[in-house]
Amino acid sequence: MVYKIALEEHFMMPLMREYFDATLGDVPPAKRDTIIHSLNDFGEQRLAQMDEAGIGMSLLSLAGPGVQEEPDAGVATARATAANDYLAGKIQDKHERYRGLAHLGLQNPAAAARELERCIGDLGFVGCMINGHTRGRYLDDPFFLPFWEAAAGLNVPVYLHPADPASPLAAVDGHAVLKRATWGWTVETASHALRMIFSGLFDRFPDIKLVLGHLGETLPYQLWRFDSRAKLYDCKLAREPSEYIRKNITVTLSGTYSREPLECALAALGTDRVCFAADYPFENSPMAGRFLDTVELEETTRDAVAHGNAKRLFGL
């Protein structure tokens, strides 16, 4: 069993339930209760699953969407601070097993930048997680430049997590199972990342570290296509889109435990751009661990995916 660092592992706190509960509307009640119970556990249950999976360390983040759905910027800022303090308190004596990713109220980007600096400098967090758009604003919007300046200055990864689209996706209307995690979130999150690339954000901040779950939300499959269409439309970028994806983006296994997409991600992005994640409690951690332990890989690549790349990326 290889030692693993898991990068997309979630928790919940009472203050944030009103935002989170809306994402469980189509989940059967019994499964919903199990998810909530698991999210609130920082002890025996979570640690037992980590041990069975071979996960030595989990990076914990608030289950989305969190305050990014909050219409009041002041409330969003205050509640994000409360969430970060709550997480810091829960893990303060467990740093050998847990590290934190900051939750931010991006309705006020300057305040979010200060909170990120506090989380990294004072709370010992190692990055942040952004749950998609903020009230319909995507991260390529110049409105968010104070946040990006802080993230670039701190040299910390930004994990872009899925969220419901700003407008309903008509293609899945009437098919509830295709919304959210089955397909809709993939379309939304991949599109969000492409907005950042094609807007020139990575030209302005060439060292930004962006992390995508689910083995890159299908982006590794489309690198050639992105480059071809960028030439057709004469996009004013310093590099080809595929180069930004290979240089600035790292992907995790969260929710995608199958050999074929893993092989594609490794071949398309390189063995230094893929990391492990169990997506606790939304996927089965021991199953995720067994997949990485048994999938056919060179042992140096397995070690890199399991823990080596995460250590380098997050400075662990």
Side-chain angles (χ1 to χ4, degrees):
M1 182 183 294
V2 65
Y3 175 89
K4 305 173 188 71
I5 299 174
L7 303 188
E8 189 183 323
E9 318 310 310
H10 300 290
F11 76 96
M12 184 45 60
M13 61 180 294
L15 184 66
M16 298 296 182
R17 280 288 302 275
E18 64 180 282
Y19 306 115
F20 177 68
D21 284 353
T23 69
L24 297 178
D26 299 322
V27 177
K31 293 182 179 180
R32 188 184 316 155
D33 292 344
T34 298
I35 289 171
I36 294 295
H37 174 78
S38 299
L39 285 168
N40 285 310
D41 180 82
F42 291 83
E44 290 184 6
Q45 175 181 310
R46 187 188 295 261
L47 290 170
Q49 290 202 25
M50 288 171 60
D51 291 342
E52 187 177 347
I55 299 171
M57 179 182 290
S58 289
L59 272 55
L60 303 186
S61 52
L62 182 75
V67 300
Q68 287 179 256
E69 286 291 304
E70 172 57 51
D72 187 302
V75 171
T77 297
R79 290 189 174 184
T81 299
N84 294 325
D85 288 342
Y86 177 86
L87 177 58
K90 289 290 187 180
I91 67 175
Q92 63 181 349
D93 59 346
K94 301 183 180 72
H95 274 186
E96 76 283 359
R97 303 304 304 269
Y98 299 138
R99 296 296 177 89
L101 297 180
H103 187 62
L104 303 173
L106 286 168
Q107 292 86 337
N108 183 335
R114 292 191 295 270
E115 178 62 7
L116 180 59
E117 291 167 352
R118 183 184 79 94
C119 287
I120 302 302
D122 297 343
L123 302 185
F125 289 7
V126 294
C128 64
M129 178 173 282
I130 307 300
N131 295 298
H133 62 88
T134 300
R135 304 289 296 173
R137 270 185 160 147
Y138 290 85
L139 286 167
D140 61 303
D141 193 316
F143 176 76
F144 296 115
L145 286 178
F147 161 74
W148 285 119
E149 289 167 353
L154 292 165
N155 194 33
V156 294
V158 175
Y159 202 125
L160 180 61
H161 188 270
D164 289 344
S167 301
L169 185 61
V172 302
D173 190 36
H175 295 271
V177 69
L178 296 179
K179 297 179 180 179
R180 299 196 168 112
T182 304
W183 181 240
W185 280 351
T186 294
V187 175
E188 171 72 6
T189 310
S191 301
H192 194 161
L194 288 172
R195 289 177 64 116
M196 296 164 62
I197 294 165
F198 280 85
S199 72
L201 181 69
F202 293 118
D203 287 336
R204 182 161 187 164
F205 299 103
D207 296 321
I208 286 175
K209 300 174 181 179
L210 185 68
V211 183
L212 297 175
H214 316 108
L215 285 174
E217 309 288 1
T218 73
L219 297 189
Y221 297 91
Q222 296 287 341
L223 299 187
W224 187 93
R225 179 76 169 170
F226 298 146
D227 292 348
S228 170
R229 298 305 88 183
K231 294 183 181 72
L232 175 65
Y233 292 102
D234 195 23
C235 293
K236 306 301 182 184
L237 296 172
R239 293 178 283 155
E240 290 191 315
S242 64
E243 292 185 51
Y244 300 102
I245 295 172
R246 291 190 176 102
K247 178 181 183 294
N248 295 96
I249 294 178
T250 297
V251 305
T252 76
L253 271 69
S254 63
T256 313
Y257 307 111
S258 179
R259 177 181 58 83
E260 296 88 352
L262 174 58
E263 289 180 347
C264 176
L266 290 167
L269 306 181
T271 58
D272 61 338
R273 293 291 171 181
V274 181
C275 295
F276 179 77
D279 203 4
Y280 174 95
F282 304 105
E283 298 289 351
N284 182 285
S285 296
M287 178 273 295
R290 285 192 298 273
F291 167 74
L292 186 57
D293 287 333
T294 58
V295 67
E296 186 176 345
L297 290 173
E298 292 187 4
E299 291 308 311
T300 54
T301 300
R302 194 186 318 277
D303 287 341
V305 172
H307 59 85
N309 294 336
K311 286 181 179 179
R312 171 183 48 79
L313 181 64
F314 287 90
L316 300 171

